Amino acid sequence: MTLLEEAPPVTTAAPLAPAARLLPALGAVYRAQLARAKVSRIPLLFVATFQSLGILVMMRGVVDPGDNPAAHAVVAGSSVLVVAFVALNLLAQYFGRLRATGGLDHYATLPVPPASVVLGTAAAYASFTLPGALVTAGVGAWMFELPWAHLWVLLAVVPLAGAALAGLGAACGLLAPRQEIATLLGQLGMSAALLLGVLPVAHLPEAVRWLRDLLPSTYGVEAFARTFTASPDWAAVVGDLSVCAVVGLASLALATRAYRWATTR
Amino acid sequence: MSDTDRLAPGATPQGGLGGPGQHAPQCCTVRDLAKTYRTRSRGGATEIKANDGIDLDIRCGEVFGLLGPNGAGKSTLVRQLTGLLRPDRGSVQILGHDIVRRPELAARLLAYLGQESSALDELTVVMAAETTGQLRGLSRAQARAETADVLTELGLEPIAARPLAKLSGGQRRLACFAATLVGERPLLVLDEPTTGMDPVARRAVWAAVDRRRAERGTTVLLVTHNVIEAETVLDRVAVVDDGRVIACDTPGGLKALVDGDVRLDLVWRTEAPVEVPAVARLAERAERTGRRWTVRTTPEEARELVAAVTTGPAFAALDDFTLATPSLEDAYLKLGGRHGGLAK
Ligand SMILES: Nc1ncnc2c1ncn2[C@@H]1O[C@H](COP(=O)(O)OP(=O)(O)OP(=O)(O)O)[C@@H](O)[C@H]1O
Ligand SMILES: [Mg+2]
């Protein structure tokens, strides 16, 4: 230390490199996550789809096919369950692991808006569930003798329910103090989506119905279930989807805050 | 590494890459930085003082090293400089910006290679570098072009299409280093960049660092506990131990602390011949690791010892011996650093 003379201080602050902008960064995260999903998540997508198909088969034993509310609920519920499995459960695990293993440091030392990372990842996980949800809905409609005419509604249900569930999953993963707790929360959330989404509403006790109303995927399930009736009430469908969208925005905002919190402790 | 890998005395260029002048402007100024980790366990709360009053001055265009054993607090220090960890007290100025007050600015001033990176694991090498470049603010086309250049520069093209998780440890480290270089920054902060790398990969890393410094005046802050690396690539080095900087100088300057002493290493074939009086005396003061004995002493005494062990029964039992001028490791030990933590 002795041989050093006092170095002249920087008089003016050096210029800052430009930060990444929201949409291009979101696109980059989305593409990377989709590529990543191709490598490692395809088997899990099969698991998610088979799980839902299994539930359809099981419920076929207790629910009559045809145009009745229980059949609608089972088919809609098991389709949205694919989304819950991937967007909630897997995303909670992913962010939990990222945080536990120091992977978040990588993003935190890049000038990228938190929303890009959270939304890009959530969108990749959600869009990756679309094929599974479509297959489940198609098979379910066939098993329960329901019309296929309005299956296209899934194109709106998956992204909206996906956003809500993915935001919730990401927030669980980012806020959980330990990785195992993140995994646990993801599993619990998915079990809730399974029980509350698939079981016909009429049979549920009052308290459980309240819980059901709090779960963001419920509105996606209801919107989709309505389209199986002979003449769907489109206003109600749009209403449910709007609730889904609002909850989705809120849960993604929560996830973004959680990310900010997790990266700046 | 054995002693034969050590560069011959005099062949070591002081500040291997040719440092900047003493009057280069300041890149990074750290004052009185402190961080205590508090962990709660069943036995109550424990406190670990990971950093305790650290001062650093890093000049622009310098390759500056942090040397120290495991747990010395090196990573904790760089994580505070990169805005990842909030210090308990103290200040960090990088290129004129206050990083303690505005940690989010660090990402626009420096590129960081963490000690472990799981964020990129399932991506291919190209995808990892390109995505990182885009998140560092490059357009997709720019990121693609820079990635191609960096992969060529580091010789990563043959494995460019493979996912990081399927690469060897050294290859993965090099791929992460490549991602760090896409999207230029005036300061590179590298936490043990060459861990697990073979000599070819290591040379590629140092060549890349050197080129950036020569062409753009890039400053490099490097964490290591490898003495050889520190001696050959660093302009200046701060020795960190137990959360404090115990010395800060050029590698040559640090070695001057132990000037005059030499180190004698003896390796016995099987048992040391303690019936020889000179060997018996040596047994009391040598630092022993298996069949290897090490003593630090004056050149005169070393000459007598060599004479004693290269004749008679002692020589018959001797497998190998080396007499070496002091290394940074010796300087480190003399400074009172905890024993044995540095890679030889
Ligand atoms: N998140 C943490 N919580 C509690 N203690 C920690 C944490 N991170 C590091 N420590 C402790 O702080 C001290 C310094 O750790 P640090 O990671 O800075 O060491 P290091 O010099 O980088 O070591 P290495 O050469 O092994 O990478 C160690 O005693 C370590 O156990
Ligand atoms: Mg470390």
Side-chain angles (χ1 to χ4, degrees):
Chain A
M1 270 180 254
T2 46
L3 91 172
L4 302 177
E5 290 166 40
E6 199 58 40
V10 176
T11 41
T12 51
L16 296 161
R21 280 171 304 123
L22 177 73
L23 287 180
L26 196 156
V29 172
Y30 179 79
R31 277 191 301 276
Q33 289 292 344
L34 218 55
R36 196 181 143 261
K38 271 188 211 139
V39 177
S40 63
R41 293 287 174 271
I42 297 279
L44 284 170
L45 178 59
F46 276 105
V47 172
T49 312
F50 281 129
Q51 170 183 276
S52 287
L53 293 178
I55 287 164
L56 284 175
V57 171
M58 221 165 65
M59 296 305 286
R60 180 66 182 74
V62 286
V63 170
D64 292 330
D67 190 0
N68 69 71
H72 300 167
V74 168
V75 176
S78 34
S79 307
V80 175
L81 184 62
V82 180
V83 184
F85 182 85
V86 175
L88 209 163
N89 186 19
L90 295 187
L91 202 58
Q93 288 185 32
Y94 172 72
F95 273 115
R97 187 164 53 89
L98 205 59
R99 197 184 138 192
T101 57
L104 271 187
D105 289 358
H106 178 75
Y107 290 112
T109 49
L110 295 171
V112 48
S116 306
V117 178
V118 172
L119 295 184
T121 310
Y125 271 70
S127 64
F128 163 71
T129 65
L130 190 59
L134 278 171
V135 168
T136 307
V139 172
W142 168 73
M143 280 172 63
F144 285 84
E145 297 164 24
L146 298 174
W148 286 10
H150 302 309
L151 289 192
W152 57 266
V153 174
L154 267 184
L155 296 181
V157 171
V158 170
L160 292 175
L165 292 167
L168 215 57
C172 286
L174 288 166
L175 296 175
R178 287 210 314 273
Q179 194 181 350
E180 306 82 71
I181 295 181
T183 306
L184 190 76
L185 289 176
Q187 300 276 8
L188 279 177
M190 201 202 54
S191 305
L194 170 78
L195 296 173
L196 304 178
V198 176
L199 297 180
V201 198
H203 302 204
L204 296 175
E206 186 72 15
V208 180
R209 263 192 248 184
W210 280 27
L211 205 62
R212 184 175 178 276
D213 287 346
L214 287 177
L215 197 72
S217 60
T218 301
Y219 302 94
V221 175
E222 294 207 328
F224 189 40
R226 285 180 205 280
T227 65
F228 286 120
T229 53
S231 53
D233 178 357
W234 289 110
V237 171
V238 171
D240 280 336
L241 287 179
S242 310
V243 175
C244 228
V246 171
V247 176
L249 280 179
S251 97
L252 288 171
L254 172 72
T256 303
R257 288 199 71 111
Y259 172 93
R260 235 185 260 271
W261 175 83
T263 52
T264 55
R265 273 168 318 136
Chain B
M1 256 183 222
S2 76
D3 284 0
T4 44
D5 287 337
R6 176 159 297 139
L7 297 170
T12 313
Q14 287 311 317
L17 301 172
Q22 290 212 355
H23 298 286
Q26 196 89 344
C27 171
C28 177
T29 312
V30 175
R31 289 289 173 268
D32 193 32
L33 202 65
K35 175 76 198 175
T36 303
Y37 290 111
R38 288 177 183 83
T39 45
R40 243 165 295 149
S41 57
R42 256 172 302 165
T46 48
E47 293 197 347
I48 300 168
K49 275 191 179 176
N51 283 172
D52 189 10
I54 288 197
D55 290 341
L56 281 183
D57 290 281
I58 302 170
R59 291 186 290 257
C60 288
E62 191 168 44
V63 178
F64 190 96
L66 297 173
L67 178 73
N70 293 139
K74 308 178 296 293
S75 296
T76 304
L77 176 55
V78 295
R79 285 171 53 81
Q80 293 177 95
L81 301 195
T82 51
L84 286 170
L85 202 63
R86 178 173 289 281
D88 295 339
R89 61 158 208 268
S91 70
V92 177
Q93 292 272 335
I94 293 178
L95 293 163
H97 297 275
D98 183 346
I99 298 302
V100 176
R101 203 163 51 83
R102 301 197 56 195
E104 75 280 3
L105 295 184
R108 297 166 66 184
L109 293 164
L110 57 88
Y112 169 66
L113 175 62
Q115 197 166 0
E116 52 224 309
S117 180
S118 59
L120 303 172
D121 262 3
E122 282 150 326
L123 299 178
T124 62
V125 176
V126 195
M127 194 73 171
E130 224 174 272
T131 307
T132 306
Q134 278 179 272
L135 299 186
R136 208 168 265 138
L138 299 184
S139 73
R140 205 173 167 187
Q142 282 171 323
R144 196 167 285 173
E146 280 201 28
T147 296
D149 291 346
V150 169
L151 295 192
T152 310
E153 184 181 1
L154 296 177
L156 279 170
E157 280 158 325
I159 55 168
R162 288 173 52 191
L164 261 70
K166 303 255 162 73
L167 299 177
S168 76
Q171 290 174 324
R172 194 177 318 141
R173 202 74 192 130
L174 193 59
C176 289
F177 177 66
T180 312
L181 294 183
V182 181
E184 193 195 324
R185 288 290 186 268
L187 171 63
L188 298 176
V189 178
L190 312 171
D191 197 343
E192 301 191 23
T194 55
T195 307
M197 286 188 191
D198 66 19
V200 177
R202 274 211 293 271
R203 202 163 302 162
V205 169
W206 300 130
V209 163
D210 199 17
R211 188 166 313 126
R212 273 156 191 77
R213 177 172 54 186
E215 288 171 6
R216 308 165 190 169
T218 305
T219 311
V220 182
L221 173 59
L222 166 74
V223 174
T224 181
H225 44 83
N226 186 317
V227 174
I228 303 274
E229 205 158 84
E231 286 194 37
T232 52
V233 305
L234 303 177
D235 296 320
R236 284 195 306 141
V237 51
V239 181
V240 182
D241 191 51
D242 247 345
R244 296 166 184 275
V245 174
I246 55 174
C248 180
D249 206 336
T250 61
L254 285 181
K255 284 199 285 185
L257 287 173
V258 282
D259 238 3
D261 275 5
V262 293
R263 202 179 73 190
L264 177 63
D265 278 298
L266 303 172
V267 184
W268 306 108
R269 288 184 199 281
T270 49
E271 291 296 301
V274 281
E275 64 280 5
V276 179
V279 175
R281 276 196 304 279
L282 204 55
E284 287 154 23
R285 44 189 287 233
E287 170 197 312
R288 297 195 244 174
T289 31
R291 293 182 293 120
R292 175 187 295 269
W293 290 16
T294 303
V295 269
R296 291 177 177 79
T297 176
T298 59
E300 295 74 35
E301 199 194 359
R303 208 171 302 131
E304 285 163 27
L305 285 171
V306 168
V309 297
T310 49
T311 48
F315 190 54
L318 196 63
D319 188 25
D320 189 17
F321 77 93
T322 34
L323 192 59
T325 51
S327 68
L328 263 189
E329 185 188 29
D330 301 295
Y332 168 77
L333 290 172
K334 179 118 177 184
L335 284 163
R338 268 174 294 145
H339 179 79
L342 300 175
K344 276 187 214 160

